[in-house]
């Protein structure tokens, strides 16, 4: 019995130590130094523990049998498939429109407008407590933030200021005379042009009521106004973010990358909307803090990706490491023919 236990323990020692060593080397290769150091430290501790345990095996034979049995049971249980199967098609027949005043950015912005705050919490008193806790935390760019940097923080602040000033570019007057177009060729040109300006993916979708916000809520000037829901087609635009920047979270590198890609998404969508208006059709760009539509449902339903379990859009290639923008138009264009979802649950 002792001989069998000794053999099993050596197998566990070699297996776990090999795993931790490979994990450390892999992390080092990916330049994740902290993870590499921690894995290597556990490799040393694991090796020392099992060598000591093997030397004193006679004193802990009962405990050893229990540990080995539990490890074996854990291995067997881990083979049981417990993840859900492929999700069915979402039922959107009873979907209600979402009010932009309820999203976190709009609610956070009310702290700068006392009258709007009073009106909102009279409508939703149940949200007041949690929002007050959030209002006490430092906002983007404030020196109280843990990773605040005196020289770099003003850069992403300037980027968001630029985005706010560029809002008028999202709309405009269409050319007086409509130009006859070939819808298929027009879609191809739009896709090519968008990628030329920096998009990684794009899709077309017929607009439905649940794609629109019911009311505006991001800015005090039009807070509570109903959104324009007259457009017929949505063009979902995907802009990729640099993984190496996002992996540096929670430092301000994430904010810098996010702001820069919001600027790129705004640039692409504003140009695309202007391009469509030049043919005599109405078009509006929807980009950072300037939306009449919800980007995620449009991107998901157009086939560009899936709704992730964390509640955000997962692109079919770039995962959650993307930013979205939308262009809507009164021009009827054919829906995109996208591949079936990849079912990330299986991955």
């Amino acid at each position: 019995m002792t001989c069998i236990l000794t053999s099993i323990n050596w197998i566990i020692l070699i297996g776990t130590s090999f795993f931790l060593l490979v994990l450390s080397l892999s992390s080092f290769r990916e330049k994740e130094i902290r993870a590499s150091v921690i894995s290597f430290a556990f490799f040393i501790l694991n090796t020392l523990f099992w060598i000591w345990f093997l030397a004193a095996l006679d004193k802990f034979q009962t405990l050893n049998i229990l540990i080995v049995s539990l490890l074996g049971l854990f291995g067997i249980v881990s083979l049981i498939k417990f993840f859900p199967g492929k999700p069915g098609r979402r039922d959107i027949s009873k979907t209600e429109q979402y009010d932009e005043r309820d999203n976190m950015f709009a609610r956070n912005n009310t702290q700068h407008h006392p009258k709007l705050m009073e009106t909102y919490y009279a409508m939703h008193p149940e949200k007041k407590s949690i929002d007050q806790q959030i209002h006490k935390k430092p906002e983007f760019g404030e020196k109280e933030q843990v990773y605040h940097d005196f020289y770099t923080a003003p850069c992403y602040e300037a980027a968001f200021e630029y985005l706010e000033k560029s809002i008028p570019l999202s709309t405009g007057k269409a050319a007086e005379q409509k130009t006859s177009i070939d819808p298929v060729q027009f879609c191809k040109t739009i896709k090519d042009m968008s990628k030329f300006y920096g998009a990684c993916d794009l899709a077309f979708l017929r607009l439905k009521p649940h794609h629109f916000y019911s009311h505006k809520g991001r800015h005090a000037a039009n807070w509570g106004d109903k959104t324009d829901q007259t457009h017929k087609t949505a063009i979902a635009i995907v802009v990729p973010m640099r993984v190496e920047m996002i992996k540096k979270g929670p430092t301000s590198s994430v904010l810098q990358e996010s702001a820069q890609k919001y600027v790129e998404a705004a640039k692409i969508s504003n140009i695309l909307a202007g391009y469509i208006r030049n043919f005599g059709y109405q078009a509006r760009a929807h980009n950072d803090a300037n939306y009449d539509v919800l980007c995620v449902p449009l991107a998901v339903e157009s086939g560009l990706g899936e709704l992730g379990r964390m509640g955000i859009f997962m692109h079919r290639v770039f995962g959650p490491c993307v930013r979205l923008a939308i262009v809507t138009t009164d021009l009827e264009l054919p829906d995109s023919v996208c591949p079936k979802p990849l079912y990330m649950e299986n991955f």
Side-chain angles (χ1 to χ4, degrees):
M1 183 67 177
T2 303
C3 183
I4 295 173
L5 275 175
T6 302
S7 300
I8 293 174
N9 279 290
W10 272 107
I11 292 171
I12 295 172
L13 164 61
I14 294 169
T16 53
S17 295
F18 179 74
F19 168 75
L20 290 167
L21 183 60
V22 170
L23 182 61
S24 178
L25 293 172
S26 176
S27 298
F28 182 78
R29 184 181 178 187
E30 294 177 359
K31 298 181 181 180
E32 295 289 353
I33 306 303
R34 181 173 177 271
S36 178
V37 170
I38 291 173
S39 301
F40 189 74
F42 272 102
F43 160 73
I44 295 173
L45 290 172
N46 181 73
T47 304
L48 292 174
F49 169 78
W50 281 102
I51 290 175
W52 168 81
F53 196 74
L54 281 163
L57 189 60
D58 292 338
K59 298 179 182 180
F60 303 102
Q61 195 170 78
T62 303
L63 177 63
N64 190 217
I65 292 172
L66 179 62
I67 291 173
V68 170
S69 300
L70 287 173
L71 284 172
L73 181 63
F74 177 79
I76 293 170
V77 171
S78 70
L79 297 175
I80 299 173
K81 184 178 179 181
F82 60 92
F83 287 107
K86 294 180 179 180
R89 191 176 183 86
R90 286 189 179 88
D91 181 11
I92 56 176
S93 61
K94 298 180 181 179
T95 305
E96 297 179 2
Q97 287 188 328
Y98 185 73
D99 191 332
E100 190 184 29
R101 292 174 293 183
D102 290 333
N103 79 29
M104 63 179 183
F105 296 108
R107 284 157 61 182
N108 195 52
N109 192 47
T110 60
Q111 65 181 301
H112 306 297
H113 306 280
K115 289 185 178 180
L116 294 184
M117 179 185 284
E118 183 180 348
T119 302
Y120 182 77
Y121 293 120
M123 296 163 57
H124 300 284
E126 73 282 0
K127 296 175 181 176
K128 187 174 183 179
S129 177
I130 185 64
D131 286 2
Q132 286 178 334
Q133 295 177 52
I134 295 172
H135 293 167
K136 293 176 183 177
K137 297 181 180 293
E139 295 194 73
F140 288 162
E142 291 186 353
K143 62 181 180 180
E144 291 80 12
Q145 285 189 312
V146 176
Y147 289 95
H148 176 79
D149 184 275
F150 177 77
Y151 288 102
T152 60
C155 182
Y156 61 74
E157 286 184 292
F160 286 118
E161 289 171 5
Y162 165 82
L163 285 165
E164 187 165 355
K165 291 176 182 176
S166 71
I167 287 177
L169 298 176
S170 65
T171 59
K173 188 177 180 180
E176 293 184 4
Q177 187 171 355
K178 287 187 176 180
T179 304
S180 179
I181 60 163
D182 176 354
V184 175
Q185 181 60 42
F186 198 61
C187 287
K188 182 182 182 303
T189 305
I190 285 175
K191 183 171 287 190
D192 291 343
M193 187 191 71
S194 298
K195 290 184 176 181
F196 174 75
Y197 277 100
C200 68
D201 213 346
L202 181 142
F204 303 85
L205 185 69
R206 177 67 62 88
L207 282 161
K208 298 176 182 177
H210 70 271
H211 294 145
F212 294 93
Y213 282 114
S214 61
H215 298 80
K216 297 175 182 288
R218 192 64 185 272
H219 301 282
N222 54 17
W223 193 90
D225 290 353
K226 289 189 175 182
T227 55
D228 179 6
Q229 303 181 22
T230 58
H231 287 179
K232 300 175 181 178
T233 304
I235 306 167
I237 302 164
V238 183
V239 178
M241 294 194 289
R242 287 167 285 200
V243 177
E244 62 272 17
M245 292 287 283
I246 301 302
K247 287 172 73 174
K248 292 177 181 177
T251 69
S252 62
S253 295
V254 175
L255 282 171
Q256 298 287 10
E257 180 65 10
S258 178
Q260 196 263 336
K261 289 305 184 287
Y262 272 127
V263 169
E264 289 298 302
K267 174 196 73 178
I268 298 165
S269 55
N270 287 339
I271 290 173
L272 177 55
Y275 169 73
I276 294 172
R277 290 195 295 268
N278 285 341
F279 284 83
Y281 300 93
Q282 293 294 331
R284 184 207 194 282
H286 305 259
N287 37 56
D288 181 60
N290 176 33
Y291 304 100
D292 274 358
V293 295
L294 290 88
C295 296
V296 172
L298 283 165
V300 171
E301 291 175 36
S302 66
L304 291 171
E306 296 181 62
L307 183 63
R309 290 182 180 179
M310 57 188 142
I312 63 175
F313 174 69
M314 301 281 286
H315 183 256
R316 53 193 178 188
V317 175
F318 296 95
C321 203
V322 296
R323 290 296 174 194
L324 300 172
I326 305 291
V327 171
T328 58
T329 175
D330 63 349
L331 174 62
E332 292 190 37
L333 295 171
D335 287 2
S336 297
V337 180
C338 292
K340 293 181 179 179
L342 302 180
Y343 299 117
M344 293 178 190
E345 287 87 347
N346 287 349
F347 176 80

